[in-house]
Amino acid sequence: MSNTFKIAHIREQNVDLILIPLEDNFRYKVEDEQIRTKNALQHYAAAAGLAGTVIPVWNDGGGRMAFIAPRAWHNFLCSIGMAFVHANLNRELRCG
């Protein structure tokens, strides 16, 4: 993985979250590949000194935002959308 991603490094309920918008076609990748991508992004975020849980997000069609996140964050993530993520982009994460 050799890319630079614009990320939204936010604090919600006293927890750091790293929301990383991915290309819309991410939804077509098999689950194993999505998980490997999330794990790689978490590795690069930690190596860059960014605290928090990496949450990949992408447009799932029909105006819905899809994500890979711990169950505890599903309600919060379902209450926001891609517009929120894009409005909160505040850092870059270099991978590779």
Side-chain angles (χ1 to χ4, degrees):
M1 177 180 296
S2 180
N3 287 312
T4 299
F5 297 91
K6 292 187 179 196
I7 66 171
H9 193 207
I10 65 170
R11 191 157 183 83
E12 180 65 28
Q13 300 171 22
N14 287 329
V15 176
D16 288 317
L17 302 175
I18 304 168
L19 306 176
I20 304 180
L22 301 177
E23 298 289 328
D24 294 354
N25 66 0
F26 190 71
R27 67 180 158 172
Y28 299 115
K29 297 191 183 301
V30 295
E31 184 178 359
D32 285 350
E33 189 174 351
Q34 289 180 342
I35 298 300
R36 280 194 306 273
T37 298
K38 180 208 175 294
N39 291 341
L41 291 168
Q42 185 73 61
H43 167 79
Y44 286 115
L50 297 175
T53 300
V54 164
I55 300 174
V57 299
W58 63 95
N59 183 337
D60 201 31
R64 293 181 312 267
M65 181 180 81
F67 51 84
I68 301 172
R71 188 62 139 142
W73 291 105
H74 286 204
N75 284 342
F76 168 71
L77 293 164
C78 287
S79 75
I80 64 171
M82 293 303 291
F84 173 90
V85 175
H86 289 289
N88 285 280
L89 294 175
N90 56 8
R91 295 189 179 203
E92 288 189 345
L93 176 62
R94 288 198 176 93
C95 303

